[in-house]
Amino acid sequence: MSTPASVLPPLADVAPGEGRRSPRARLRSDAPSLSLDGRWRFRWSERADQPTIGFEAPDFDDRQWDEIDVPGLWQFSGYGRPAYTNVRYPFPVEPPYVPDENPTGEYRVAFDHDGSLGDSAVVLRFDGVDSIFAVWLNGTSLGWSTGSRLTTEFDVGPLLQPGRNVLAVRAHQWSAASYLEDQDMWWLSGIFRSVTLLARPVGGLDDVFIHAGFDHTTGTGRLRVETSAAATISCPELHLSDAPTAEAVELPDVQAWTAETPHRYELRVSTAEETVTVPVGFRTVRTDDGVLTVNGRPVYLRGVNRHEWHPDHGRVMDAETMLADVALMKRHNVNAVRTSHYPPHPDFLDLCDEHGLWVILENDMETHGFEPNGWRRNPSDDPQWADACLDRMRRTVERDKNHPSVIMWSLGNESGHGQNLAAMAQWVHGRDPDRPVHYEGDWDSSYVDVYSRMYATHEEVDAIGRSDEAPTVDVGADAHRRSIPFLQCEYGHAMGTGPGGLVEYAELFEKYPRLAGGFIWEWIDHGVRQHTADGTEFFAYGGDYGEELHDGNFIADGLLFPDRTPSPGLLELARIIAPVRIDVTGTAVTVRNLRDFTDTSNLHFEWSIADDGAPTASGPLSVPVVAAGEQMSVDLPARPEPASGHGELLVTVRAVLAEGTAWAEAGHEVAWGQGRLAEAEAPRARIQSKPDFDVDPRTGRLTRLGGLSLLGPRLDVWRAPTDNDRGEHGPQVAPTWYSLGLNRMRHRTISVDLGESRAQVRTRVAPAASDLGLFATYTWSRADGGGLRLRLEVEPDGDWSGVPLPRLGLRMELPATIADVEWYGLGPGESYRDARAAAHLGRFRKPIEALQTPYLRPQENGNHLDVRWASLTGADGGLRVIGGPTFALTVRRWTSEDLAAARHPYDLRARDRVYVNVDVAQTGVGTAACGPGPLPQHILWAEPTTFEVTFFPVSAHG
Ligand code: IPT
């Protein structure tokens, strides 16, 4: 489609815009400003070719138009629908053209200018409009722009009048620029960030660029302030008073800025006409000798990739949400953010400066959809697009260049490679030599300062740590790449259950100086809050809006659920990246300080002892201050002798914040460690009584135990595949499981031998059409205290190599009256063999409902490892299971098959049973939704296995 010349903006123009001001820093100024946020008039159309109405006529009567919130995304106000694709463009790939079906929003707002902006020049600023837009003030065109997550400013010149003014904006969902904005997220449109008028005093400060380095050998700060007009700087804390900006100043004894010590100095930069206040952090970032350092010390980036997301507003951010993100990150030991894949709301970076987070600030650019087309005509390597690419990079750097938290610039994401990216890197190096340049898409790393990869396996990261990675073709590029630090800009894909394998990544990051850490993909699920007809809340994902092309729940791969409830994955990460590691061996406690800069003086330590999970003693633990990178061992203080006949005695040592901070209260747990003090002394004496039970003589299955009717345990190998088992962008096991039929195993009873003191049932369990199977032999005998002991022996039949078992264990069915589960084992949250760091051994009690993790697409969840015993109880009595010595436990009101079939949590309906799995093990979860599967040591293979567990009835009255 060619856009009629009279219609603005031009949809097939590769230029980034027209009529815009040069990009500059976002500055806190004493010059007046006027927010235009609020209710605007709005008219929406499915197509781009309707004529504009009234933009050239300020008096046009728009009262027939709708109203809409600015900032806002029109799909969240009932116009059009969200659509989700990851890599693929949702339109034909024929750059620079886009389809006629091109949702278009026309906005008008009338506002009063009462003279508060003075009579100086005025600038109109848009902080973000998705995707292309044109602007008219009082009927005159100001220009147009692209770059959805980038600031655009227009001079309003003499157009602004005293009294009533009318601003009109026409925005389209699709334009040539959409080819540069193929980020993995919902396609959403509109004026989604603030609109402001800013007075620009003549002789004021249009731009300021603060360079604030730190010499760690002397403690001296070096301050150089570039300004667009001659100015002076003042900062009482730095003893600066009206100093000229012309020359750099050396400042002895400054406090450096780091993510651990986010000290900022309020610097006032003034001309006669304007003063801007810039919080300054002194720090020096280097990549010398292949190690990323800040202020002379190597840093370990314990990072997350953050998209902006709110379940009710999409990418419209508010102050509370941004602060919640920062506080949640800090509380979970995250110290770094990659702003994937665009500059965030500008205020987010102020919060990172203030509270301390390292930031990789990423440009708003991704052309991933060219990859499925062989990267043909990729804008990254096409000279036609050079301006558009560079424009984006400039606007990214210029807006955010004064933030101490920003330690690296990123050219964008998944845009292939080519000359335009190289030119962008070159421009950044010239404009800001003090920050390294990052870009993952070019594995040769020829124009960047850090080697970056996504989803590399442990093995490959290990090789890179040793600088033993496979060479690149070009010898020069190879030498350069080997000389620079490495980071994983994405790893640990947090989709559904998991991710597994994070501990092993952390071990590598900690081991090799070249590895600067990594960023989990990703921070939050982008689920949209919706309700079913009966009012049940759920979070929509791709396909829920009837999109003809979509990528399903790949949009739900965050450490937070959409409502910002931490998922088990975030708790797992928090434990693994905790800045302090506590090892408890007997009574010896070792505290290792893994921070890069600060000692442990902000922490209190506490110890406690539990007997079979019941607390018996606790107290403070005095640990001398441990310097960054150091460790210290102390002994537990004197404590009461354990009672004779005690159970398993465990020591837990916790490190908590001594004082409250802006992001957590005093007492907030930062790290913990646990160790065993003593094994259980002797089994509890139990009253001898005969077990009371019924067995189905044909199948040998238990049908009653005490007062509880049940369908007794039998072999189970199935779990509802996780997103990682499905492995959309990694090794897939679920298809193998389904084709073999592990979801439809049949049980054949070979023999039932019911003796007086011992019963034995032999079976073969196998799927239709296959000759593979598992012999399962159940041997029952009496246990002390009126219990029934079950010994399960499993013998694989046939060649099972290459088929990891989802799980191996026992499934049984109990009456629906069972309501609560108490257990002594790992908790309180779920645990899997390669994702168990967050769980500690303890005694926990939860209703069955609280044992379920509400992943947006239902899948295996809620497993508890290392369970010593569990009681499942309800109004009509229950069952106690004692491991020999341990088992894994899952309890739900639906089956694994129900879980596998459900698309949303609301599809899961409680059945008239409770389904219990008492398992030997499951295979690990890994992170194969995008990345490697479980490591070999976490894979469950079919092998001869023996497993013991004892069941006791629990009477209705305990
Ligand atoms: C990679 C992308 O960079 C990221 O935006 C996201 O899509 C993530 O992975 C998957 O959720 S692309 C991937 C297909 C390698």
Side-chain angles (χ1 to χ4, degrees):
M1 183 188 102
S2 72
T3 314
S6 60
V7 174
L8 274 174
L11 299 177
D13 193 337
V14 296
E18 216 175 281
R20 307 165 307 163
R21 301 186 90 224
S22 296
R24 62 193 188 104
R26 189 180 190 84
L27 295 166
R28 214 191 304 151
S29 163
D30 64 354
S33 63
L34 181 66
S35 169
L36 298 182
D37 292 353
R39 296 289 281 176
W40 290 28
R41 288 286 175 186
F42 186 65
R43 191 176 79 124
W44 185 82
S45 148
E46 282 183 357
R47 300 173 62 90
D49 46 11
Q50 70 166 357
T52 57
I53 309 182
F55 284 166
E56 278 147 23
D59 295 328
F60 168 78
D61 183 356
D62 58 20
R63 280 175 301 174
Q64 297 307 309
W65 288 22
D66 299 341
E67 284 194 345
I68 198 167
D69 281 330
V70 169
L73 289 157
W74 67 58
Q75 290 86 350
F76 278 73
S77 297
Y79 303 93
R81 318 185 93 195
Y84 166 58
T85 59
N86 172 4
V87 174
R88 299 173 294 177
Y89 290 107
F91 46 77
V93 181
E94 46 158 354
Y97 302 104
V98 291
D100 298 349
E101 295 92 352
N102 187 353
T104 296
E106 292 175 318
Y107 297 81
R108 289 171 58 95
V109 66
F111 61 93
D112 252 4
H113 176 222
D114 58 3
S116 62
L117 294 172
D119 44 20
S120 54
V122 171
V123 162
L124 173 63
R125 181 176 74 195
F126 292 85
D127 289 331
V129 183
D130 198 326
S131 123
I132 190 171
F133 69 109
V135 182
W136 292 259
L137 183 61
N138 297 326
T140 302
S141 164
L142 294 179
W144 60 274
S145 190
T146 55
S148 298
R149 273 69 53 175
L150 300 168
T151 298
T152 299
E153 286 184 333
F154 297 101
D155 282 316
V156 305
L159 294 173
L160 188 72
Q161 315 159 356
R164 185 175 188 271
N165 291 267
V166 175
L167 180 66
V169 174
R170 179 175 160 102
H172 304 279
Q173 178 153 18
W174 311 119
S175 70
S178 302
Y179 286 98
L180 302 179
E181 297 185 355
D182 189 29
Q183 290 94 336
D184 174 13
M185 58 194 195
W186 294 102
W187 295 96
L188 299 169
S189 334
I191 306 176
F192 78 103
R193 287 185 188 158
S194 291
V195 184
T196 316
L197 283 167
L198 306 163
R200 298 302 319 129
V202 180
L205 281 164
D206 247 15
D207 201 11
V208 172
F209 192 175
I210 308 274
H211 305 264
F214 180 76
D215 181 342
H216 64 280
T217 59
T218 59
T220 305
R222 184 166 201 276
L223 181 65
R224 185 165 64 83
V225 180
E226 279 177 52
T227 48
S228 53
T232 59
I233 50 175
S234 298
C235 174
E237 224 193 321
L238 290 170
H239 311 291
L240 288 172
S241 164
D242 293 330
T245 53
E247 275 174 22
V249 280
E250 305 276 327
L251 301 157
D253 296 327
V254 300
Q255 277 183 269
W257 190 97
T258 72
E260 295 173 18
T261 57
H263 191 88
R264 299 183 301 166
Y265 295 89
E266 290 276 302
L267 189 75
R268 288 161 58 85
V269 187
S270 306
T271 67
E273 310 301 328
E274 184 179 18
T275 292
V276 301
T277 312
V278 193
V280 173
F282 291 91
R283 47 128 196 76
T284 293
V285 187
R286 290 254 184 281
T287 56
D288 304 339
D289 304 323
V291 178
L292 177 68
T293 62
V294 178
N295 304 338
R297 302 185 74 123
V299 291
Y300 170 15
L301 304 173
R302 299 159 164 101
V304 294
N305 280 281
R306 176 181 179 270
H307 266 285
E308 300 191 307
W309 191 249
H310 189 287
D312 303 315
H313 310 297
R315 286 191 288 273
V316 180
M317 288 287 101
D318 57 80
E320 299 87 274
T321 301
M322 290 187 281
L323 183 59
D325 276 351
V326 169
L328 279 162
M329 287 176 191
K330 297 289 286 184
R331 284 210 287 274
H332 292 90
N333 300 326
V334 168
N335 74 355
V337 191
R338 172 176 175 231
T339 68
S340 54
H341 301 300
Y342 43 81
H345 187 294
D347 294 349
F348 179 73
L349 297 170
D350 291 324
L351 296 171
C352 295
D353 293 346
E354 182 182 344
H355 301 292
L357 287 166
W358 307 115
V359 175
I360 297 187
L361 202 288
E362 191 148 277
N363 179 29
D364 188 0
M365 175 156 159
E366 172 158 344
T367 66
H368 207 168
F370 286 88
E371 187 179 26
N373 295 288
W375 289 114
R376 285 183 299 279
R377 307 185 63 191
N378 180 15
S380 304
D381 198 30
D382 180 342
Q384 278 189 74
W385 293 86
D387 277 354
C389 295
L390 190 57
D391 172 77
R392 285 169 184 261
M393 197 68 228
R394 286 183 58 201
R395 286 156 75 193
T396 295
V397 171
E398 296 297 354
R399 190 193 77 170
D400 295 329
K401 58 188 181 251
N402 293 321
H403 290 284
S405 56
V406 177
I407 56 164
M408 236 180 252
W409 300 112
S410 176
L411 304 180
N413 185 58
E414 292 279 17
S415 300
H417 45 87
Q419 51 186 297
N420 296 337
L421 289 159
M424 289 154 71
Q426 194 185 8
W427 180 85
V428 178
H429 282 135
R431 178 64 176 146
D432 183 11
D434 297 331
R435 289 182 178 100
V437 171
H438 166 271
Y439 175 65
E440 189 271 351
D442 179 11
W443 292 3
D444 281 359
S445 308
S446 39
Y447 36 82
V448 294
D449 308 302
V450 293
Y451 176 27
S452 175
R453 290 287 306 280
M454 48 174 80
Y455 310 108
T457 62
H458 299 83
E459 198 183 352
E460 190 178 358
V461 173
D462 189 82
I464 296 168
R466 290 182 276 109
S467 286
D468 196 24
E469 69 264 31
T472 51
V473 177
D474 181 289
V475 180
D478 190 62
H480 169 67
R481 193 182 72 187
R482 269 170 221 287
S483 72
I484 57 179
F486 173 83
L487 59 85
Q488 282 246 76
C489 67
E490 296 177 20
Y491 81 107
H493 195 259
M495 182 179 183
T497 313
L502 298 187
V503 172
E504 292 86 353
Y505 277 119
E507 282 166 7
L508 297 169
F509 296 152
E510 289 175 28
K511 180 170 173 189
Y512 296 111
R514 187 187 184 193
L515 308 184
F519 296 77
I520 298 288
W521 187 268
E522 66 178 306
W523 176 238
I524 184 168
D525 287 343
H526 312 206
V528 184
R529 197 193 315 266
Q530 296 283 286
H531 294 89
T532 60
D534 71 1
T536 307
E537 179 183 289
F538 73 101
F539 295 104
Y541 53 75
D544 284 337
Y545 295 98
E547 303 106 292
E548 60 179 15
L549 197 67
H550 67 83
D551 288 302
N553 66 320
F554 222 67
I555 194 80
D557 51 4
L559 295 168
L560 296 179
F561 290 104
D563 63 1
R564 292 192 153 69
T565 306
S567 78
L570 181 56
L571 306 181
E572 173 79 4
L573 178 71
R575 175 87 200 294
I576 293 169
I577 61 173
V580 169
R581 187 155 303 143
I582 301 171
D583 290 307
V584 185
T585 315
T587 59
V589 181
T590 305
V591 174
R592 271 203 291 154
N593 181 0
L594 302 168
R595 291 171 175 167
D596 297 321
F597 299 92
T598 48
D599 64 30
T600 54
S601 53
N602 72 330
L603 300 175
H604 271 170
F605 293 84
E606 309 170 345
W607 64 273
S608 61
I609 294 178
D611 178 344
D612 224 19
T616 58
S618 63
L621 181 69
S622 107
V623 178
V625 171
V626 188
E630 300 294 316
Q631 65 177 57
M632 185 82 72
S633 288
V634 295
D635 220 35
L636 286 182
R639 64 214 164 272
E641 273 298 307
S644 73
H646 60 74
E648 182 178 33
L649 295 182
L650 295 177
V651 183
T652 306
V653 174
R654 303 166 67 231
V656 302
L657 287 184
E659 279 168 27
T661 65
W663 43 269
E665 297 188 339
H668 163 79
E669 182 179 280
V670 173
W672 59 269
Q674 203 171 43
R676 185 183 293 126
L677 203 55
E679 302 272 1
E681 223 173 31
R684 297 241 158 117
R686 286 191 200 94
I687 305 144
Q688 204 64 32
S689 71
K690 265 194 143 192
D692 169 28
F693 62 92
D694 290 335
V695 168
D696 178 334
R698 292 166 306 144
T699 60
R701 285 185 86 175
L702 192 66
T703 55
R704 183 182 63 81
L705 182 62
L708 196 73
S709 56
L710 49 81
L711 192 55
R714 66 175 191 176
L715 188 74
D716 186 19
V717 296
W718 185 236
R719 77 177 179 198
T722 63
D723 289 318
N724 288 315
D725 294 335
R726 290 168 184 256
E728 199 166 320
H729 290 277
Q732 311 182 326
V733 289
T736 312
W737 293 347
Y738 278 114
S739 68
L740 189 58
L742 297 187
N743 59 321
R744 47 178 170 78
M745 300 292 267
R746 293 285 180 267
H747 298 247
R748 178 173 68 84
T749 308
I750 301 170
S751 64
V752 178
D753 174 9
L754 301 178
E756 188 32 40
S757 61
R758 184 172 160 279
Q760 193 170 66
V761 180
R762 293 177 52 235
T763 65
R764 188 175 183 278
V765 184
S770 174
D771 62 0
L772 283 186
L774 299 161
F775 288 108
T777 303
Y778 309 82
T779 307
W780 293 91
S781 58
R782 290 178 181 161
D784 279 354
L788 280 179
R789 174 169 305 128
L790 172 60
R791 181 182 163 87
L792 168 74
E793 284 158 293
V794 180
E795 188 70 44
D797 184 19
D799 181 8
W800 281 86
S801 53
V803 188
L805 289 182
R807 68 158 21 101
L808 186 71
L810 298 164
R811 191 201 294 199
M812 59 185 155
E813 300 176 20
L814 303 185
T817 50
I818 298 292
D820 294 299
V821 182
E822 185 179 9
W823 76 99
Y824 174 43
L826 287 188
E830 67 188 31
S831 47
Y832 290 86
R833 59 201 279 171
D834 58 350
R836 53 178 294 158
H840 65 272
L841 273 176
R843 199 185 282 202
F844 308 96
R845 186 186 174 91
K846 287 186 185 185
I848 294 174
E849 288 65 30
L851 290 166
Q852 319 305 318
T853 310
Y855 294 113
L856 267 55
R857 191 186 64 75
Q859 53 196 281
E860 161 61 31
N861 72 88
N863 184 61
H864 292 279
L865 294 173
D866 292 355
V867 177
R868 276 84 162 135
W869 57 257
S871 294
L872 295 90
T873 52
D876 296 341
L879 183 72
R880 187 172 167 94
V881 190
I882 297 190
T886 64
F887 57 92
L889 178 68
T890 316
V891 185
R892 18 178 109 96
R893 295 195 182 277
W894 37 78
T895 63
S896 298
E897 292 74 18
D898 294 339
L899 258 186
R903 286 196 66 246
H904 291 287
Y906 62 72
D907 293 325
L908 294 167
R909 302 265 155 71
R911 288 181 180 259
D912 61 353
R913 310 272 166 103
V914 166
Y915 298 84
V916 181
N917 261 96
V918 171
D919 291 332
V920 182
Q922 286 191 32
T923 212
V925 289
T927 174
C930 196
L935 285 164
Q937 63 270 32
H938 299 308
I939 296 176
L940 176 66
W941 298 109
E943 285 175 325
T945 305
T946 305
F947 175 60
E948 267 196 18
V949 55
T950 309
F951 300 94
F952 293 90
V954 175
S955 76
H957 307 293

